[in-house]
Amino acid sequence: MTNSTAPARLVVLISGAGSTMRAVLEAQRDPGYGASVVAVISDRADAAGLEIAREHAVPTSVVALSDFSDREAWDRALAEEVERHEPDLVVLAGFMRLIGAPSLTRFGGRIVNTHPALLPAYPGAHGVRDALAGGAKVTGCTVMLVDEGVDTGPIVAQAAVEVWDDDTESSLHERIKTVERSLVAATVGRMVREGWSVDGRRVTVGDTAKNLNTEDDA
Ligand code: GAR
């Protein structure tokens, strides 16, 4: 970003329904939000969220693992596609693949993910199912910075959701997603407006140290 008054450029990665991405698209209608989704990229051509992005006139593209000879080639292609849109922040909103070294090297510290459990409890692809099976009475959602591990990055924000006795994976996930959409939209907005700092495992949003690449030449 070369103008500190311009909205931060968000590139959003999705794999599915895209309801979290939609929450960010709706939040950015507020001119004070401070960020704008400049591209939506999916690893799946059939991700329903791609249509939502198109309805919002946001450019979309698909980088499918099956179109590449191996995982490394896909990782490189994904990083290049993200970089093409010059993101200030990369937002994984229901992106169901691990981010590889090419993206971590280029955008390290500027990639956020959201997970449907209170990390470090229940990481991985089945956070809701695992919380239910584990007998948790409270679970929730976590927005975290992405590192090389599976849901192991420093935690930026969390919100709790009560588990009900008659919950199924689907009913619990829907209740989490309602809270998660607001948490992601609000957290991304705060990060781009106020900056953030990381000290070990601890993330502070609103510190004076800006992590965005903002060159104040306005
Ligand atoms: C969200 O609950 C998100 O936390 C989860 O996928 C859902 C996306 O829903 N992501 C993961 O589990 C990543 N490990 P959406 O497609 O409707 O935004």
Side-chain angles (χ1 to χ4, degrees):
M1 183 158 80
T2 55
N3 182 339
S4 62
T5 59
R9 297 172 64 83
L10 306 179
V11 170
V12 181
L13 272 54
I14 63 168
S15 296
S19 71
T20 315
M21 171 204 68
R22 187 204 291 269
V24 176
L25 288 168
E26 285 172 2
Q28 77 179 32
R29 288 199 192 131
D30 177 349
Y33 185 62
S36 175
V37 178
V38 296
V40 170
I41 303 169
S42 179
D43 63 317
R44 297 179 58 114
D46 62 352
L50 288 171
E51 189 51 38
I52 298 173
R54 286 183 208 115
E55 283 164 11
H56 284 78
V58 176
T60 62
S61 54
V62 175
V63 184
L65 185 54
S66 55
D67 290 340
F68 294 87
S69 53
D70 56 29
R71 177 82 194 207
E72 286 71 27
W74 176 79
D75 274 327
R76 281 196 301 276
L78 180 66
E80 277 159 26
E81 178 60 13
V82 173
E83 185 154 60
R84 203 165 68 78
H85 299 285
E86 302 180 345
D88 294 306
L89 191 63
V90 181
V91 180
L92 311 190
F95 190 66
M96 301 307 282
R97 293 196 185 277
L98 282 182
I99 289 294
S103 290
L104 287 171
T105 305
R106 283 181 227 199
F107 317 112
R110 289 188 293 132
I111 310 175
V112 289
N113 193 7
T114 178
H115 180 72
L118 291 176
L119 295 171
Y122 310 116
H126 304 290
V128 181
R129 187 188 306 173
D130 293 345
L132 263 185
K137 298 299 184 197
V138 176
T139 183
C141 47
T142 301
V143 177
M144 67 283 191
L145 294 168
V146 173
D147 65 10
E148 59 288 334
V150 179
D151 301 328
T152 53
I155 292 167
V156 183
Q158 291 186 306
V161 173
E162 200 181 329
V163 180
W164 296 344
D165 288 345
D166 59 352
D167 261 330
T168 61
E169 181 180 359
S170 149
S171 68
L172 180 56
H173 198 179
E174 277 313 308
R175 236 169 35 258
I176 291 171
K177 282 177 70 167
T178 303
V179 173
E180 188 176 19
R181 291 192 273 267
S182 305
L183 184 74
V184 170
T187 303
V188 166
R190 283 197 62 211
M191 289 175 78
V192 300
R193 288 191 305 273
E194 302 173 35
W196 68 97
S197 60
V198 184
D199 179 11
R201 300 282 313 162
R202 301 191 68 177
V203 179
T204 306
V205 179
D207 202 349
T208 46
K210 292 259 184 185
N211 284 47
L212 288 184
N213 185 22
T214 51
E215 225 178 85
D216 195 357
D217 62 356

mmCIF file with all atom_site columns, all heavy atoms in Angstrom, residues 151-165:
data_model
loop_
_atom_site.group_PDB
_atom_site.id
_atom_site.type_symbol
_atom_site.label_atom_id
_atom_site.label_alt_id
_atom_site.label_comp_id
_atom_site.label_asym_id
_atom_site.label_entity_id
_atom_site.label_seq_id
_atom_site.pdbx_PDB_ins_code
_atom_site.Cartn_x
_atom_site.Cartn_y
_atom_site.Cartn_z
_atom_site.occupancy
_atom_site.B_iso_or_equiv
_atom_site.pdbx_formal_charge
_atom_site.auth_seq_id
_atom_site.auth_comp_id
_atom_site.auth_asym_id
_atom_site.auth_atom_id
_atom_site.pdbx_PDB_model_num
ATOM 1   N N   . ASP A 1 151 ? -2.822  -24.677 12.632 1.00 0.00 ? 151 ASP A N   1
ATOM 2   C CA  . ASP A 1 151 ? -3.548  -23.876 13.629 1.00 0.00 ? 151 ASP A CA  1
ATOM 3   C C   . ASP A 1 151 ? -2.703  -23.583 14.870 1.00 0.00 ? 151 ASP A C   1
ATOM 4   O O   . ASP A 1 151 ? -3.215  -23.560 15.992 1.00 0.00 ? 151 ASP A O   1
ATOM 5   C CB  . ASP A 1 151 ? -4.856  -24.582 14.029 1.00 0.00 ? 151 ASP A CB  1
ATOM 6   C CG  . ASP A 1 151 ? -5.769  -24.815 12.842 1.00 0.00 ? 151 ASP A CG  1
ATOM 7   O OD1 . ASP A 1 151 ? -5.753  -23.991 11.908 1.00 0.00 ? 151 ASP A OD1 1
ATOM 8   O OD2 . ASP A 1 151 ? -6.490  -25.826 12.828 1.00 0.00 ? 151 ASP A OD2 1
ATOM 9   N N   . THR A 1 152 ? -1.417  -23.351 14.654 1.00 0.00 ? 152 THR A N   1
ATOM 10  C CA  . THR A 1 152 ? -0.507  -23.134 15.791 1.00 0.00 ? 152 THR A CA  1
ATOM 11  C C   . THR A 1 152 ? -0.034  -21.679 15.920 1.00 0.00 ? 152 THR A C   1
ATOM 12  O O   . THR A 1 152 ? 0.727   -21.363 16.832 1.00 0.00 ? 152 THR A O   1
ATOM 13  C CB  . THR A 1 152 ? 0.743   -24.031 15.661 1.00 0.00 ? 152 THR A CB  1
ATOM 14  O OG1 . THR A 1 152 ? 1.321   -23.812 14.360 1.00 0.00 ? 152 THR A OG1 1
ATOM 15  C CG2 . THR A 1 152 ? 0.413   -25.491 15.812 1.00 0.00 ? 152 THR A CG2 1
ATOM 16  N N   . GLY A 1 153 ? -0.455  -20.800 15.012 1.00 0.00 ? 153 GLY A N   1
ATOM 17  C CA  . GLY A 1 153 ? 0.062   -19.435 15.028 1.00 0.00 ? 153 GLY A CA  1
ATOM 18  C C   . GLY A 1 153 ? -0.459  -18.621 16.201 1.00 0.00 ? 153 GLY A C   1
ATOM 19  O O   . GLY A 1 153 ? -1.442  -19.005 16.855 1.00 0.00 ? 153 GLY A O   1
ATOM 20  N N   . PRO A 1 154 ? 0.183   -17.484 16.493 1.00 0.00 ? 154 PRO A N   1
ATOM 21  C CA  . PRO A 1 154 ? -0.238  -16.635 17.611 1.00 0.00 ? 154 PRO A CA  1
ATOM 22  C C   . PRO A 1 154 ? -1.696  -16.189 17.479 1.00 0.00 ? 154 PRO A C   1
ATOM 23  O O   . PRO A 1 154 ? -2.147  -15.807 16.394 1.00 0.00 ? 154 PRO A O   1
ATOM 24  C CB  . PRO A 1 154 ? 0.718   -15.444 17.525 1.00 0.00 ? 154 PRO A CB  1
ATOM 25  C CG  . PRO A 1 154 ? 1.900   -15.939 16.765 1.00 0.00 ? 154 PRO A CG  1
ATOM 26  C CD  . PRO A 1 154 ? 1.380   -16.961 15.811 1.00 0.00 ? 154 PRO A CD  1
ATOM 27  N N   . ILE A 1 155 ? -2.404  -16.229 18.591 1.00 0.00 ? 155 ILE A N   1
ATOM 28  C CA  . ILE A 1 155 ? -3.845  -15.930 18.607 1.00 0.00 ? 155 ILE A CA  1
ATOM 29  C C   . ILE A 1 155 ? -4.073  -14.422 18.625 1.00 0.00 ? 155 ILE A C   1
ATOM 30  O O   . ILE A 1 155 ? -3.492  -13.701 19.435 1.00 0.00 ? 155 ILE A O   1
ATOM 31  C CB  . ILE A 1 155 ? -4.489  -16.601 19.842 1.00 0.00 ? 155 ILE A CB  1
ATOM 32  C CG1 . ILE A 1 155 ? -4.454  -18.123 19.680 1.00 0.00 ? 155 ILE A CG1 1
ATOM 33  C CG2 . ILE A 1 155 ? -5.917  -16.096 20.058 1.00 0.00 ? 155 ILE A CG2 1
ATOM 34  C CD1 . ILE A 1 155 ? -4.782  -18.890 20.953 1.00 0.00 ? 155 ILE A CD1 1
ATOM 35  N N   . VAL A 1 156 ? -4.947  -13.963 17.715 1.00 0.00 ? 156 VAL A N   1
ATOM 36  C CA  . VAL A 1 156 ? -5.266  -12.533 17.635 1.00 0.00 ? 156 VAL A CA  1
ATOM 37  C C   . VAL A 1 156 ? -6.559  -12.226 18.394 1.00 0.00 ? 156 VAL A C   1
ATOM 38  O O   . VAL A 1 156 ? -6.662  -11.230 19.100 1.00 0.00 ? 156 VAL A O   1
ATOM 39  C CB  . VAL A 1 156 ? -5.404  -12.078 16.162 1.00 0.00 ? 156 VAL A CB  1
ATOM 40  C CG1 . VAL A 1 156 ? -5.669  -10.575 16.089 1.00 0.00 ? 156 VAL A CG1 1
ATOM 41  C CG2 . VAL A 1 156 ? -4.162  -12.437 15.359 1.00 0.00 ? 156 VAL A CG2 1
ATOM 42  N N   . ALA A 1 157 ? -7.570  -13.099 18.243 1.00 0.00 ? 157 ALA A N   1
ATOM 43  C CA  . ALA A 1 157 ? -8.863  -12.839 18.888 1.00 0.00 ? 157 ALA A CA  1
ATOM 44  C C   . ALA A 1 157 ? -9.626  -14.153 19.028 1.00 0.00 ? 157 ALA A C   1
ATOM 45  O O   . ALA A 1 157 ? -9.440  -15.074 18.224 1.00 0.00 ? 157 ALA A O   1
ATOM 46  C CB  . ALA A 1 157 ? -9.683  -11.855 18.060 1.00 0.00 ? 157 ALA A CB  1
ATOM 47  N N   . GLN A 1 158 ? -10.459 -14.212 20.058 1.00 0.00 ? 158 GLN A N   1
ATOM 48  C CA  . GLN A 1 158 ? -11.286 -15.406 20.262 1.00 0.00 ? 158 GLN A CA  1
ATOM 49  C C   . GLN A 1 158 ? -12.671 -14.992 20.759 1.00 0.00 ? 158 GLN A C   1
ATOM 50  O O   . GLN A 1 158 ? -12.817 -13.935 21.383 1.00 0.00 ? 158 GLN A O   1
ATOM 51  C CB  . GLN A 1 158 ? -10.653 -16.349 21.300 1.00 0.00 ? 158 GLN A CB  1
ATOM 52  C CG  . GLN A 1 158 ? -9.374  -16.999 20.802 1.00 0.00 ? 158 GLN A CG  1
ATOM 53  C CD  . GLN A 1 158 ? -8.821  -18.030 21.745 1.00 0.00 ? 158 GLN A CD  1
ATOM 54  O OE1 . GLN A 1 158 ? -8.604  -17.728 22.913 1.00 0.00 ? 158 GLN A OE1 1
ATOM 55  N NE2 . GLN A 1 158 ? -8.561  -19.226 21.257 1.00 0.00 ? 158 GLN A NE2 1
ATOM 56  N N   . ALA A 1 159 ? -13.646 -15.858 20.516 1.00 0.00 ? 159 ALA A N   1
ATOM 57  C CA  . ALA A 1 159 ? -14.979 -15.667 21.093 1.00 0.00 ? 159 ALA A CA  1
ATOM 58  C C   . ALA A 1 159 ? -15.511 -17.038 21.493 1.00 0.00 ? 159 ALA A C   1
ATOM 59  O O   . ALA A 1 159 ? -15.287 -18.031 20.797 1.00 0.00 ? 159 ALA A O   1
ATOM 60  C CB  . ALA A 1 159 ? -15.913 -15.001 20.085 1.00 0.00 ? 159 ALA A CB  1
ATOM 61  N N   . ALA A 1 160 ? -16.208 -17.076 22.611 1.00 0.00 ? 160 ALA A N   1
ATOM 62  C CA  . ALA A 1 160 ? -16.697 -18.348 23.162 1.00 0.00 ? 160 ALA A CA  1
ATOM 63  C C   . ALA A 1 160 ? -18.132 -18.619 22.722 1.00 0.00 ? 160 ALA A C   1
ATOM 64  O O   . ALA A 1 160 ? -18.922 -17.699 22.520 1.00 0.00 ? 160 ALA A O   1
ATOM 65  C CB  . ALA A 1 160 ? -16.614 -18.306 24.682 1.00 0.00 ? 160 ALA A CB  1
ATOM 66  N N   . VAL A 1 161 ? -18.434 -19.892 22.579 1.00 0.00 ? 161 VAL A N   1
ATOM 67  C CA  . VAL A 1 161 ? -19.790 -20.346 22.242 1.00 0.00 ? 161 VAL A CA  1
ATOM 68  C C   . VAL A 1 161 ? -20.089 -21.548 23.135 1.00 0.00 ? 161 VAL A C   1
ATOM 69  O O   . VAL A 1 161 ? -19.283 -22.474 23.241 1.00 0.00 ? 161 VAL A O   1
ATOM 70  C CB  . VAL A 1 161 ? -19.893 -20.751 20.751 1.00 0.00 ? 161 VAL A CB  1
ATOM 71  C CG1 . VAL A 1 161 ? -21.245 -21.387 20.450 1.00 0.00 ? 161 VAL A CG1 1
ATOM 72  C CG2 . VAL A 1 161 ? -19.650 -19.556 19.845 1.00 0.00 ? 161 VAL A CG2 1
ATOM 73  N N   . GLU A 1 162 ? -21.261 -21.514 23.784 1.00 0.00 ? 162 GLU A N   1
ATOM 74  C CA  . GLU A 1 162 ? -21.642 -22.610 24.671 1.00 0.00 ? 162 GLU A CA  1
ATOM 75  C C   . GLU A 1 162 ? -22.038 -23.843 23.849 1.00 0.00 ? 162 GLU A C   1
ATOM 76  O O   . GLU A 1 162 ? -22.649 -23.720 22.789 1.00 0.00 ? 162 GLU A O   1
ATOM 77  C CB  . GLU A 1 162 ? -22.851 -22.138 25.487 1.00 0.00 ? 162 GLU A CB  1
ATOM 78  C CG  . GLU A 1 162 ? -23.085 -22.906 26.756 1.00 0.00 ? 162 GLU A CG  1
ATOM 79  C CD  . GLU A 1 162 ? -24.325 -22.397 27.488 1.00 0.00 ? 162 GLU A CD  1
ATOM 80  O OE1 . GLU A 1 162 ? -24.629 -21.187 27.373 1.00 0.00 ? 162 GLU A OE1 1
ATOM 81  O OE2 . GLU A 1 162 ? -24.986 -23.219 28.135 1.00 0.00 ? 162 GLU A OE2 1
ATOM 82  N N   . VAL A 1 163 ? -21.677 -25.014 24.358 1.00 0.00 ? 163 VAL A N   1
ATOM 83  C CA  . VAL A 1 163 ? -22.107 -26.267 23.713 1.00 0.00 ? 163 VAL A CA  1
ATOM 84  C C   . VAL A 1 163 ? -23.386 -26.724 24.402 1.00 0.00 ? 163 VAL A C   1
ATOM 85  O O   . VAL A 1 163 ? -23.441 -26.782 25.636 1.00 0.00 ? 163 VAL A O   1
ATOM 86  C CB  . VAL A 1 163 ? -21.020 -27.365 23.850 1.00 0.00 ? 163 VAL A CB  1
ATOM 87  C CG1 . VAL A 1 163 ? -21.482 -28.661 23.180 1.00 0.00 ? 163 VAL A CG1 1
ATOM 88  C CG2 . VAL A 1 163 ? -19.693 -26.892 23.257 1.00 0.00 ? 163 VAL A CG2 1
ATOM 89  N N   . TRP A 1 164 ? -24.415 -27.006 23.625 1.00 0.00 ? 164 TRP A N   1
ATOM 90  C CA  . TRP A 1 164 ? -25.687 -27.473 24.190 1.00 0.00 ? 164 TRP A CA  1
ATOM 91  C C   . TRP A 1 164 ? -25.725 -28.999 24.172 1.00 0.00 ? 164 TRP A C   1
ATOM 92  O O   . TRP A 1 164 ? -25.117 -29.645 23.300 1.00 0.00 ? 164 TRP A O   1
ATOM 93  C CB  . TRP A 1 164 ? -26.871 -26.911 23.387 1.00 0.00 ? 164 TRP A CB  1
ATOM 94  C CG  . TRP A 1 164 ? -26.976 -25.407 23.464 1.00 0.00 ? 164 TRP A CG  1
ATOM 95  C CD1 . TRP A 1 164 ? -26.361 -24.574 24.372 1.00 0.00 ? 164 TRP A CD1 1
ATOM 96  C CD2 . TRP A 1 164 ? -27.726 -24.552 22.593 1.00 0.00 ? 164 TRP A CD2 1
ATOM 97  N NE1 . TRP A 1 164 ? -26.685 -23.262 24.121 1.00 0.00 ? 164 TRP A NE1 1
ATOM 98  C CE2 . TRP A 1 164 ? -27.525 -23.214 23.037 1.00 0.00 ? 164 TRP A CE2 1
ATOM 99  C CE3 . TRP A 1 164 ? -28.554 -24.767 21.494 1.00 0.00 ? 164 TRP A CE3 1
ATOM 100 C CZ2 . TRP A 1 164 ? -28.127 -22.118 22.410 1.00 0.00 ? 164 TRP A CZ2 1
ATOM 101 C CZ3 . TRP A 1 164 ? -29.143 -23.674 20.870 1.00 0.00 ? 164 TRP A CZ3 1
ATOM 102 C CH2 . TRP A 1 164 ? -28.934 -22.370 21.331 1.00 0.00 ? 164 TRP A CH2 1
ATOM 103 N N   . ASP A 1 165 ? -26.501 -29.563 25.113 1.00 0.00 ? 165 ASP A N   1
ATOM 104 C CA  . ASP A 1 165 ? -26.557 -31.029 25.239 1.00 0.00 ? 165 ASP A CA  1
ATOM 105 C C   . ASP A 1 165 ? -27.050 -31.699 23.959 1.00 0.00 ? 165 ASP A C   1
ATOM 106 O O   . ASP A 1 165 ? -26.630 -32.807 23.627 1.00 0.00 ? 165 ASP A O   1
ATOM 107 C CB  . ASP A 1 165 ? -27.482 -31.425 26.410 1.00 0.00 ? 165 ASP A CB  1
ATOM 108 C CG  . ASP A 1 165 ? -26.829 -31.105 27.755 1.00 0.00 ? 165 ASP A CG  1
ATOM 109 O OD1 . ASP A 1 165 ? -25.602 -30.870 27.782 1.00 0.00 ? 165 ASP A OD1 1
ATOM 110 O OD2 . ASP A 1 165 ? -27.549 -31.074 28.763 1.00 0.00 ? 165 ASP A OD2 1
#
